[in-house]
Amino acid sequence: LLTYREEVEDIANSAVKELQIEEKITAISEDWSDEQLAFAQFKQRGQITLNSGLTAELMEKVEETLMGLGSMLASRYVTPFKENVTSWVAKLSAVSDVLEIWIQVQNMWIYLEAVFTSGDIAKQLPQESKRFGGIDSNWEKIMVKALEVRNVISYIVGNDVLAELLPHLLEQLELCQKALSGYL
């Protein structure tokens, strides 16, 4: 009788733990379904930058959620939900990676935008000025599309163009930066 009772308690305990995981996954899905990118006005050009403070908070939220998902994956009760949890880890890892490079690109773009739109240095470095013009055009396209979509998961996850374009823009900005440093 005692082993039967222990078995029932074990089954009940497992059901409670699985329910907790299921509820956490549901909460994560609901929470992230409505998470929006936040934008900031840049000079007279419109909302073509991410809001730094709110984006930093968003990145913290991504990391916290990823830690929670990591804890779930370590649980022996995750089995029925493992695919769903793993899917969320992949989505939020992609968001984290993209946002990290996006902020790097934005910071460098803001710095160089002032340099290459002022005229004087742009005349002295025509090749880099032209390169920056292309970067600037791509930056604006990224931001206009992000403003249209706004939802973090919808815009970032599975957006191969964004995932490939941002590292390319960073590389191009670094070339502009290097030429500028050489000039100065």
Side-chain angles (χ1 to χ4, degrees):
L1 187 70
L2 194 62
T3 56
Y4 176 73
R5 182 179 184 171
E6 288 172 347
E7 198 174 308
V8 170
E9 284 178 0
D10 188 45
I11 290 169
N13 184 41
S14 292
V16 167
K17 299 285 188 196
E18 286 177 9
L19 180 63
Q20 289 172 342
I21 289 173
E22 188 174 22
E23 288 170 345
K24 286 178 186 171
I25 293 169
T26 301
I28 288 169
S29 293
E30 288 172 3
D31 197 23
W32 282 97
S33 71
D34 199 36
E35 194 62 48
Q36 307 288 310
L37 292 165
F39 300 89
Q41 183 74 23
F42 183 77
K43 298 183 180 176
Q44 305 305 315
R45 296 182 63 179
Q47 291 189 323
I48 60 166
T49 56
L50 292 173
N51 178 302
S52 299
L54 294 175
T55 303
E57 286 176 25
L58 178 64
M59 291 171 83
E60 278 179 38
K61 183 177 177 176
V62 169
E63 294 311 312
E64 287 170 16
T65 307
L66 281 170
M67 286 193 322
L69 289 165
S71 297
M72 279 184 227
L73 282 174
S75 167
R76 67 185 182 112
Y77 304 104
V78 77
T79 307
F81 316 103
K82 192 166 189 158
E83 196 175 305
N84 201 351
V85 173
T86 305
S87 169
W88 273 107
V89 168
K91 287 177 191 174
L92 293 175
S93 294
V95 168
S96 177
D97 294 346
V98 168
L99 281 177
E100 205 169 287
I101 196 161
W102 198 338
I103 291 299
Q104 281 182 288
V105 169
Q106 175 170 298
N107 291 340
M108 199 175 265
W109 174 83
I110 287 171
Y111 170 71
L112 291 173
E113 196 270 352
V115 171
F116 285 105
T117 56
S118 67
D120 189 39
I121 292 176
K123 286 180 192 131
Q124 300 300 319
L125 299 170
Q127 191 179 345
E128 269 57 40
S129 185
K130 185 179 178 188
R131 181 190 312 272
F132 186 81
I135 295 166
D136 190 64
S137 173
N138 279 314
W139 175 259
E140 204 164 304
K141 285 176 190 164
I142 287 171
M143 297 309 293
V144 165
K145 185 70 176 164
L147 252 170
E148 284 173 18
V149 177
R150 287 187 183 251
N151 183 280
V152 173
I153 300 296
S154 298
Y155 188 58
I156 295 176
V157 176
N159 187 338
D160 295 336
V161 172
L162 187 65
E164 290 171 20
L165 188 57
L166 286 172
H168 174 71
L169 292 180
L170 186 60
E171 200 176 275
Q172 295 298 303
L173 285 163
E174 286 169 350
L175 291 173
C176 290
Q177 174 78 49
K178 197 173 180 180
L180 179 64
S181 296
Y183 170 75
L184 297 175

